Amino acid sequence: MAGQSAVEDIRDMLRREIVERMQVGDLLPNERELAERFGVARNTVRETMIHLEAFGLIEKTRRGARVRQPDFDPIFSIFAQYFDHSPKTLADVLNFRRIVETGAAPLAVQGASAATLARMADSNARMVRALTVSDAAAHDYDFHMAMIEATGNSVLIRMYRVLSVPLKFYLEVGKSRSPETEESNAQHMRIIEALRARDRAGLMAALNAHFDHSGAVLASACARIEGLGHAEPDPREETP
């Protein structure tokens, strides 16, 4: 092992060991022991530990590096910053949501409580009453976030929270026209009713109908934006 490749190799081996063999609170061997084990300098081990700490796998204590409770927020935060606002990315976000939310439907059906349904209904009503596109999108996000939280899946919940900025931006696209927001409201009500009835098939159908509608709204909005971008200049606005 040499240079950066050594750090990456050791990091990957230790990451697998931490995930597969160690428990939260376990101490890793010290730097000297790890350097001897892998046949590298202690500086290489020290750099490897910095990587593992950045990934949220370990934390430094007075007794040495210790396995910590997994924290995926740093990884998802890095991922989220690479979103752009192109039509392609917006379509990808929609398809991402469809795949994740329909996949989460069975868990949501099991985990949705009366409090969850009340929160979703409240967010849905607030979406329609919102005075700005931004507020409507925020309430729409809260509606879907409540369903995601009903799954009880900590990784999925963290992912949706960390990706809130690109998800809300996407949701704003469909809030520029009142009829589209009203249709989303009606579709949300069908999602709530399916959850209340513990109807997995009904929930899947309601979600797919919702995302089909969202896809049509997105395509229309992107076409309008592209049309504006290619509009001919008004001769009256030309300067001499």
Side-chain angles (χ1 to χ4, degrees):
M1 298 181 183
Q4 188 63 27
S5 63
V7 172
E8 293 170 354
D9 289 342
I10 298 170
R11 179 197 65 203
D12 290 344
M13 283 188 280
L14 290 177
R15 179 183 58 79
R16 285 195 297 271
E17 290 182 11
I18 290 170
V19 172
E20 296 173 3
R21 305 178 191 174
M22 303 185 74
Q23 302 294 323
V24 174
D26 287 351
L27 290 172
L28 273 68
N30 61 39
E31 288 181 1
R32 178 183 58 78
E33 293 170 331
L34 289 172
E36 291 177 356
R37 172 186 169 184
F38 293 110
V40 296
R42 292 178 67 171
N43 283 342
T44 300
V45 172
R46 193 168 297 120
E47 186 176 351
T48 302
M49 292 298 153
I50 292 173
H51 284 215
L52 294 175
E53 187 175 17
F55 286 142
L57 294 173
I58 64 170
E59 58 187 353
K60 293 178 180 177
T61 71
R62 292 183 179 180
R63 298 176 58 198
R66 179 175 63 190
V67 177
R68 61 168 293 172
Q69 187 70 34
D71 184 359
F72 300 98
D73 286 358
I75 299 173
F76 289 138
S77 295
I78 293 171
F79 175 66
Q81 68 179 320
Y82 292 104
F83 277 86
D84 59 38
H85 298 158
S86 68
K88 172 65 166 60
T89 298
L90 292 175
D92 286 346
V93 171
L94 172 61
N95 288 326
F96 163 81
R97 292 183 59 228
R98 183 196 290 268
I99 292 167
V100 171
E101 294 192 30
T102 55
L107 290 175
V109 164
Q110 294 175 4
S113 63
T116 297
L117 299 177
R119 177 182 163 190
M120 293 175 73
D122 181 64
S123 296
N124 196 32
R126 289 174 182 270
M127 179 186 73
V128 175
R129 296 197 305 265
L131 299 178
T132 68
V133 167
S134 178
D135 284 347
H139 294 310
D140 196 347
Y141 169 81
D142 288 342
F143 174 91
H144 289 272
M145 187 71 243
M147 191 190 82
I148 291 297
E149 289 180 356
T151 68
N153 186 303
S154 61
V155 175
L156 186 58
I157 292 168
R158 284 179 179 270
M159 181 172 63
Y160 255 59
R161 285 176 180 166
V162 172
L163 294 180
S164 63
V165 172
L167 291 180
K168 287 177 184 177
F169 177 84
Y170 154 76
L171 290 167
E172 286 185 16
V173 174
K175 300 295 179 293
S176 58
R177 297 186 176 184
S178 180
E180 292 162 354
T181 300
E182 292 172 0
E183 177 59 26
S184 290
N185 173 266
Q187 292 171 353
H188 283 177
M189 291 302 299
R190 287 192 282 273
I191 291 171
I192 291 173
E193 289 307 313
L195 285 169
R196 179 175 289 114
R198 308 291 182 190
D199 181 357
R200 182 186 302 185
L203 178 59
M204 291 286 287
L207 286 169
N208 277 312
H210 184 46
F211 290 126
D212 286 345
H213 169 74
S214 296
V217 171
L218 176 61
S220 176
C222 288
R224 290 198 306 272
I225 293 170
E226 185 176 353
L228 290 173
H230 292 86
E232 292 294 327
D234 188 337
R236 294 171 298 179
E237 296 180 356
E238 293 183 359
T239 56

